[in-house]
Structures are given as C-alpha cells and as structure tokens.
Amino acid sequence: MTISTISYKLLPFCLCKSDPSIDSATMSNVATKVAVVGSGISGAVCASALAKNGISVTLFESARGPGGRMSQRREISEDGKELLFDHGAPFFSVSNCDVLKLVHEWESKGLVAEWKENFGSFDCISKKFLDNDQEAPNKKYVGLPGMNSICKALCNETGVESKFGASIGRLECLDDEKWSLTGLDGKNLGHFSGVVLSDKSIASPRFTHVTGRPPPLDLSLTPELALKLQDIPVSPCFALMLAFAEPLSSISVKGFSFKNSEILRWSHCESSKPGRSTARHVSVERWVLHSTANYASGVIAQTGLQKPSSATLTKVAEELFREFQSIGLNIPQPFFMKAHRWGSAFPTASIAREEKCLWDRKKRLAICGDFCVSPNVEGAILSGLAAASKLTEMLSCL
C-alpha cells in the first residue's frame, strides 16, 4: 500500500498498530468501516485520506454526484448546446504547505491546473475597472475539466465506496461503540466504527427549518459539539449562469468583483478556464455571476428557506442580469440564463480553527468542513485531513 507524503505527515499511525499481539484480522474487523457523510471537498479529502491509511470508507451523498459547493452544473440550451458551469466556487488558492503538496499531487494527475488570466474589480459608481489582481495575489487553481473533478477522483479511489442519492435520515450511536445509519426512506445503511460528518446541516437546527424534520444527528448525544453547531452564521448567495453567442469583448478581465453594487459581488468567465472549451461550444462564452449576501438574504426573507420556486429563480435571474447590464459595459442579451440559490453553503465563521475539526473521541465522531477552519476550499481540505487523522489514529490503536 502506497501512502503519500501528506498522509504520513497529517495522518500518523499510532505506535500500537505495530504491536505483534494485534493481528491483521483484528485490525480489519475493527477499522473496516467508517461512514463519511457529504462528498464536498472536505468529505472527499477525508474519505481518500482514510482509505490511503487502510480504512474502508462508505461515503453517503444526498445529491446525484460529488462536489458540494465545488459541483459543476450541466445545462442544455434550447438549441441543444451543452453548457457546463462551476456555479459555486469559481477557483481556489492555497497558502498552507501541506495543502499545496496535495494540490501538486492532483496537478500531476491532471485533476487541477492554474487559471492564468487577468482579474480585477469594477467600480459601479465610476464605471471603471480598478487595478488587476490586487485582491488575490496567490495562484488560482481550478479542477479539470470541472471543479467537481477533484471530488470525483477522490470518491472513486480504492477503499472508498460512494453512494449517491443517499440521504441520511438518522444516525444512532449504539452501545457497542458502533454507529447505525438509516436512510430517509427508513432503509438500514449499515453499522460503522466511526462517522465523519462534512455536512453541517445534518447536525444543525437549520435542517429542521428547511425540511421540517429533526436533524439526523441527535445533538443531545454530543452536547459539547452541539453548542458549537447551534448557529453557524452563513452567507447566502444566488448564482446566475449565462451563455452568450459571442465573447464579451468590452470586458478586459476574466474575473472581477463588484464595488458599490448592492446586488452583484463577483463574476467570472467560465469558458476561459483551462480545459473548458470544446468543439461542441467553442463559439459560446459562459459567465457566472454571484449576488451579494444582502441581496440573497432579502429574497430569502420574502420566500423562506425552502427550495425556491421557478418563479422566484426567474425573477432573481432577471434582477441580477439587469444589474450586470446596467454597469455600462454593453452586455448583450444571453441565449441562456438560469439562477441557482446557495442557501447556506458559504459560512462566515470558523468554529474549530486550531483543532481544524470537531471531534468526540468517545463516540468516534468527527465533524469537518470549511466552517471549522476558514470559509474557503483550502480550509475545507485542512478540516477533512484533520478529521481523517483523528479517526485513523484512534482506530489503528484499537
């Protein structure tokens, strides 16, 4: 079994694993199964790190595919064109040395590439672009051929069994230090030696506000963790996906933030990313706009936290695009326009910055995500690695 350098550094085996009195069969029985809930970058990295350290992982994801905020949206235009959008995280930057090693490993496998384009900001009052690349001097990385490609690869690694379209209805901690997972449909999903939750909503009261059901994890089981999970502040956002028949030649950069706009926060040219242009849509230029948190909060205050209706999304799309056109850059009418709501995907607080994850050793429960370290992709990766390290060290000592 080959273990990468980063696995050695971040996921150390406990010395007692080499104890000759503990045979391989015992280790296999004890550490065979860990459940990871959520296949965003934090859960996917955690699952991969556990598998590389000899632990069998079953990953559960309620969506049809992996990625979370790094997912890629596939749309078909009225004339049959396939349109792909990274409608969540447009890119990520790295400053931590350990994460950088992991990114270089992904780069060598063709999973990521640097996005080498000019970026800047636009002042909606002066109607001018400001200095380029002043806000984010670090390299910008994107997944190939989509942001979700990294999570896809991690979820398909040896030792990781991924189950998509599998929503968790209940997590129960049994007397024999095992966990029992049950699906929303009441189906028994198995028993596990440990659990990693990379979806904060599964243990948050917010789950009830959205679904009308109690959270799958009974917070009374982990009172200390429950206090930290009670009310994690989040920043809602609407994303607008646009496709134009011709390039937007009036825009000199491929990504920019908006200053002095109450509606728009960010925009980027999706088709300018490495590996995004193909013969099927070579003449199509795709853009993604992100709203401000205040705008999104205002819409949610009127419509609620439940899944937005098509009428709401249509209205949002029109309002976001109207603002885009009003900045004075001669934006033509797109042939495709669709909005998506990110209700709670962008946390605004870090609840376990030093520990990098929440950990209940007695119950073998780890909770990880960008909300633990920092609200970005790098923070999510660090948290996933930390959760894997906690479980690996404990299970290898049993």
Side-chain angles (χ1 to χ4, degrees), residues 1 18 20 32 39 56 102 119 138 142 178 186 211 218 230 233-234 252 261-262 279 281 284 288 301 309 346 367 371:
M1 177 176 63
S18 61
T32 50
S39 68
S56 178
L102 189 56
F119 298 82
N138 293 335
V142 298
K178 298 282 187 179
T211 66
D218 183 354
Q230 279 296 317
V234 295
S252 59
S261 172
E262 296 181 359
H281 44 66
V284 175
V288 176
S309 66
F346 299 88
I367 298 175
F371 54 92

Side-chain angles (χ1 to χ4, degrees), residues 243-362:
F244 300 89
E246 300 294 336
L248 303 187
S249 57
S250 60
I251 301 179
S252 59
V253 295
K254 297 304 181 183
F256 61 95
S257 60
F258 293 87
K259 293 189 180 299
N260 298 311
S261 172
E262 296 181 359
I263 297 177
L264 291 177
R265 181 183 60 86
W266 166 261
S267 68
H268 73 267
C269 180
E270 180 66 25
S271 47
S272 72
K273 293 179 180 179
R276 292 330 195 256
S277 296
T278 68
R280 282 179 293 178
H281 44 66
V282 68
S283 62
V284 175
E285 183 156 291
R286 287 160 288 135
W287 282 76
V288 176
L289 313 181
H290 282 183
S291 77
T292 62
N294 285 340
Y295 170 82
S297 296
V299 175
I300 292 173
Q302 297 177 17
T303 61
L305 288 172
Q306 288 73 23
K307 183 178 179 180
S309 66
S310 58
T312 295
L313 291 177
T314 297
K315 181 182 178 183
V316 166
E318 292 172 349
E319 290 178 348
L320 295 182
F321 183 67
R322 192 180 305 125
E323 178 76 356
F324 193 37
Q325 278 193 314
S326 72
I327 65 177
L329 292 175
N330 298 317
I331 307 297
Q333 194 69 24
F335 68 84
F336 177 86
M337 182 168 69
K338 192 170 187 177
H340 171 84
R341 189 191 76 182
W342 294 103
S344 61
F346 299 88
T348 60
S350 303
I351 62 175
R353 189 179 295 274
E354 293 185 5
E355 297 83 2
K356 296 183 174 61
C357 70
L358 300 181
W359 171 239
D360 187 323
R361 180 180 177 85
K362 184 177 180 180

Side-chain angles (χ1 to χ4, degrees), residues 34-40 42-44 46-47 50 58 60 168 170-172 179-181 194-204 215-219 221-222 225 229 351 356-359 364-372 380 383-384 387-388 391:
V34 166
V36 175
V37 181
S39 68
S42 190
C46 180
L50 287 168
T58 303
F60 297 95
I168 304 300
R170 180 175 173 80
L171 296 108
E172 185 178 4
W179 283 90
S180 173
L181 271 64
V195 171
V196 178
L197 303 180
S198 66
D199 181 355
K200 61 182 177 297
S201 66
I202 208 167
S204 167
L217 176 65
D218 183 354
L219 294 178
L221 291 174
T222 57
L225 301 190
L229 290 167
I351 62 175
K356 296 183 174 61
C357 70
L358 300 181
W359 171 239
R364 302 178 195 168
L365 170 67
I367 298 175
C368 63
D370 55 1
F371 54 92
C372 288
S383 187
L391 275 166

Side-chain angles (χ1 to χ4, degrees), residues 68-309:
R69 202 171 72 227
M70 291 180 70
S71 61
Q72 187 181 63
R73 186 74 167 260
R74 178 180 181 270
E75 299 285 348
I76 303 296
S77 65
E78 291 183 358
D79 60 355
K81 287 186 175 68
E82 180 187 58
L83 305 171
L84 302 175
F85 299 92
D86 294 332
H87 61 317
F91 63 87
F92 65 96
S93 297
V94 178
S95 59
N96 179 275
C97 293
D98 293 318
V99 177
L100 190 60
K101 291 178 183 178
L102 189 56
V103 171
H104 285 163
E105 179 184 321
W106 296 341
E107 198 170 15
S108 68
K109 295 177 179 179
L111 296 175
V112 302
E114 184 183 352
W115 189 12
K116 299 178 181 179
E117 291 287 354
N118 292 325
F119 298 82
S121 61
F122 185 86
D123 184 3
C124 293
I125 294 179
S126 66
K127 307 290 185 182
K128 292 181 179 179
F129 280 101
L130 306 179
D131 292 341
N132 293 347
D133 279 336
Q134 292 300 307
E135 296 181 352
N138 293 335
K139 290 182 178 181
K140 299 172 180 64
Y141 293 98
V142 298
L144 293 177
M147 287 296 284
N148 64 344
S149 300
I150 304 168
C151 296
K152 278 185 177 180
L154 297 175
C155 291
N156 285 323
E157 287 189 352
T158 302
V160 179
E161 179 186 7
S162 296
K163 297 185 177 183
F164 299 105
S167 298
I168 304 300
R170 180 175 173 80
L171 296 108
E172 185 178 4
C173 188
L174 307 178
D175 292 337
D176 59 354
E177 297 185 338
K178 298 282 187 179
W179 283 90
S180 173
L181 271 64
T182 306
L184 272 178
D185 56 2
K187 182 180 178 181
N188 179 20
L189 299 176
H191 291 181
F192 300 88
S193 302
V195 171
V196 178
L197 303 180
S198 66
D199 181 355
K200 61 182 177 297
S201 66
I202 208 167
S204 167
R206 185 181 178 87
F207 184 90
T208 303
H209 299 326
V210 175
T211 66
R213 300 170 57 96
L217 176 65
D218 183 354
L219 294 178
S220 66
L221 291 174
T222 57
E224 291 186 6
L225 301 190
L227 289 175
K228 297 182 178 181
L229 290 167
Q230 279 296 317
D231 189 21
I232 300 174
V234 295
S235 176
C237 171
F238 281 96
L240 179 62
M241 298 165 280
L242 301 169
F244 300 89
E246 300 294 336
L248 303 187
S249 57
S250 60
I251 301 179
S252 59
V253 295
K254 297 304 181 183
F256 61 95
S257 60
F258 293 87
K259 293 189 180 299
N260 298 311
S261 172
E262 296 181 359
I263 297 177
L264 291 177
R265 181 183 60 86
W266 166 261
S267 68
H268 73 267
C269 180
E270 180 66 25
S271 47
S272 72
K273 293 179 180 179
R276 292 330 195 256
S277 296
T278 68
R280 282 179 293 178
H281 44 66
V282 68
S283 62
V284 175
E285 183 156 291
R286 287 160 288 135
W287 282 76
V288 176
L289 313 181
H290 282 183
S291 77
T292 62
N294 285 340
Y295 170 82
S297 296
V299 175
I300 292 173
Q302 297 177 17
T303 61
L305 288 172
Q306 288 73 23
K307 183 178 179 180
S309 66

